[in-house]
């Protein structure tokens, strides 16, 4: 009886880890040395409904997947001196691709780690010429995704002020419009929740997309715990429209630590990868090769839960 009681208590933990959600998307950062990994994200049963690739055009890897099944979201990554982004997105719409959303600049408040490093006034000018006109085509606009640092929100506020100056006249003040804010965070769950709260205060009643997040460079148990806690939180928050975990690569390719990944070194789904796709736990260790499986805490719980169900049945 004691064993049965203990087993029954572990079952909800497994259910939490395997929760499905239409909010989940893919940050697509493929490695040309392992193109076979690309099909993993659109396999039968995958929970992912949308993706972005830091660019303005869809990835050829998903050419055979309809837009209404796996929505491509274009991004204007950095400053440009023309209207090529606008022309690209309009061209896709005119050719029949149903572009519903676009993402603004990638970490314009940073010159490090992939940040586009743009002054707010320059970004505002590019936005007015390339992004704002898409609203007339029914496209929803996402504000630039700043880093998780203290300067992100002030950068956005300056950007919006500069944007307003560009479109206002002596007779009428106008504000640049947007439909959602994009948030990046690398750190623990408490920090993520607090950072989201800061955005909610600065941009009240605006939908949030968490377009990059993870707990980087931690041990496996801590990383898995963060994933489960954060995904449960993001799924139940009505203010969150979509989210995308940054980790769709092999452990050996990771710049967020070897454990914060969805694939092991042979391209097999880790537990976090399988949970994120809404499929069964794999027990594959992130740093392993040839499908090595280890009895992680969650995989052990899953096995015990199955045994418990069999015994009770």
């Amino acid at each position: 009886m004691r064993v049965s009681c203990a087993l029954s208590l572990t079952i909800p933990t497994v259910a939490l880890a395997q929760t499905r959600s239409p909010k989940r998307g893919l940050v697509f950062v493929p490695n040309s040395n392992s193109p076979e990994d690309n099909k993993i994200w659109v396999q039968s049963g995958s929970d992912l409904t949308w993706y972005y690739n830091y660019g303005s055009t869809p990835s050829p890897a998903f050419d055979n997947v309809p837009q209404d099944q796996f929505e491509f979201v274009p991004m204007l990554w950095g400053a440009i001196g023309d209207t090529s982004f606008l022309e690209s997105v309009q061209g896709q719409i005119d050719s029949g691709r149903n572009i519903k959303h676009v993402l603004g600049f990638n970490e314009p408040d940073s010159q490090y780690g992939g940040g586009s490093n743009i002054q707010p006034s320059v970004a505002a000018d590019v936005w007015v010429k390339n992004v704002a006109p898409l609203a007339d085509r029914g496209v929803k606009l996402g504000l630039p995704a700043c880093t998780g640092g203290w300067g992100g929100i002030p950068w956005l506020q300056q950007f919006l002020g500069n944007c307003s100056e560009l479109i206002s006249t002596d007779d009428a003040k106008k504000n640049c419009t947007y439909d959602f804010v994009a948030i990046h965070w690398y750190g623990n769950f408490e920090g993520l929740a607090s950072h989201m709260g800061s955005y909610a205060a600065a941009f009240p009643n605006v939908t949030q997309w968490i377009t990059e997040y993870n707990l980087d460079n931690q041990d496996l148990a801590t990383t898995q715990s963060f994933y489960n806690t954060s995904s449960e939180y993001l799924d139940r928050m009505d203010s969150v429209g979509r989210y995308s975990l940054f980790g769709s690569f092999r452990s050996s390719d990771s710049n967020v630590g070897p454990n914060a990944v969805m694939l092991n070194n042979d391209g097999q789904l880790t537990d976090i990868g399988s949970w994120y796709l809404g499929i069964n736990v794999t027990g594959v260790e992130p740093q392993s090769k040839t499908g090595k499986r280890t009895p992680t805490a969650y995989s052990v719980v899953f096995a015990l839960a199955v045994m418990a169900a069999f015994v009770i049945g």
Side-chain angles (χ1 to χ4, degrees):
M1 292 297 293
R2 292 177 183 173
V3 173
S4 298
C5 179
L7 290 173
S8 66
L9 290 174
T10 65
I11 294 175
T13 303
V14 175
L16 174 62
Q18 293 176 274
T19 299
R20 301 183 66 87
S21 171
K23 297 181 180 182
R24 294 177 193 158
L26 173 69
V27 187
F28 188 52
V29 283
N31 186 325
S32 59
N33 293 322
S34 50
E36 65 274 15
D37 295 349
N38 299 340
K39 65 181 183 297
I40 292 172
W41 317 116
V42 290
Q43 65 180 279
S44 177
S46 172
D47 221 14
L48 308 186
T49 59
W50 66 281
Y51 79 99
Y52 75 97
N53 58 13
Y54 297 98
S56 63
T57 57
S59 297
F62 307 125
D63 279 347
N64 63 336
V65 185
Q67 175 79 354
D68 60 355
Q69 293 181 21
F70 196 44
E71 179 191 350
F72 170 64
V73 179
M75 171 186 277
L76 176 55
W77 182 86
I80 55 177
D82 52 27
T83 56
S84 56
F85 179 82
L86 173 64
E87 294 163 7
S88 173
V89 176
Q90 287 182 328
Q92 292 175 60
I93 295 173
D94 292 341
S95 66
R97 182 176 288 274
N98 186 14
I99 300 294
K100 299 179 180 179
H101 309 86
V102 293
L103 296 169
F105 310 104
N106 185 68
E107 299 189 348
D109 58 322
S110 175
Q111 60 181 314
Y112 306 106
S116 54
N117 190 28
I118 318 171
Q119 289 299 313
S121 58
V122 174
D125 182 65
V126 177
W127 174 281
V128 169
K129 295 174 180 176
N130 281 274
V131 180
L134 292 170
D136 295 334
R137 302 294 300 267
V139 178
K140 294 186 176 182
L141 314 180
L143 280 182
C146 290
T147 67
W150 63 268
I153 290 176
W155 188 99
L156 287 170
Q157 292 169 332
Q158 182 64 53
F159 162 78
L160 289 171
N162 294 143
C163 199
S164 178
E165 292 173 358
L166 288 172
I167 64 174
S168 294
T169 65
D170 292 338
D171 297 327
K173 180 179 180 180
K174 298 180 180 180
N175 294 317
C176 287
T177 60
Y178 53 90
D179 298 284
F180 59 95
V181 295
I183 297 174
H184 286 186
W185 180 257
Y186 292 93
N188 63 26
F189 169 73
E190 292 76 15
L192 171 63
S194 176
H195 193 53
M196 291 168 60
S198 296
Y199 267 79
F203 306 98
N205 303 313
V206 177
T207 298
Q208 298 181 349
W209 284 28
I210 318 303
T211 52
E212 277 189 32
Y213 79 103
N214 213 325
L215 177 60
D216 53 321
N217 298 295
Q218 299 296 318
D219 63 75
L220 183 56
T222 302
T223 307
Q224 290 180 330
S225 178
F226 168 82
Y227 170 76
N228 283 303
T229 301
S230 60
S231 63
E232 187 277 332
Y233 181 74
L234 298 176
D235 285 338
R236 67 178 165 84
M237 291 293 288
D238 292 336
S239 58
V240 176
R242 293 182 175 182
Y243 64 89
S244 47
L245 181 72
F246 186 80
S248 61
F249 33 75
R250 299 186 181 198
S251 182
S252 55
D253 298 327
S254 176
N255 63 348
V256 289
N259 294 314
V261 296
M262 299 188 208
L263 301 175
N264 79 338
N265 290 324
D266 273 345
Q268 295 182 312
L269 284 170
T270 62
D271 285 348
I272 288 177
S274 63
W275 294 332
Y276 193 68
L277 267 61
I279 60 180
N280 289 337
V281 65
T282 62
V284 172
E285 182 182 296
Q287 299 181 60
S288 68
K289 289 186 177 181
T290 63
K292 178 183 177 183
R293 298 172 184 270
T294 58
T296 64
Y298 288 106
S299 59
V300 169
V301 166
F302 179 76
L304 292 175
V306 172
M307 292 172 58
F310 178 77
V311 172
I312 293 172

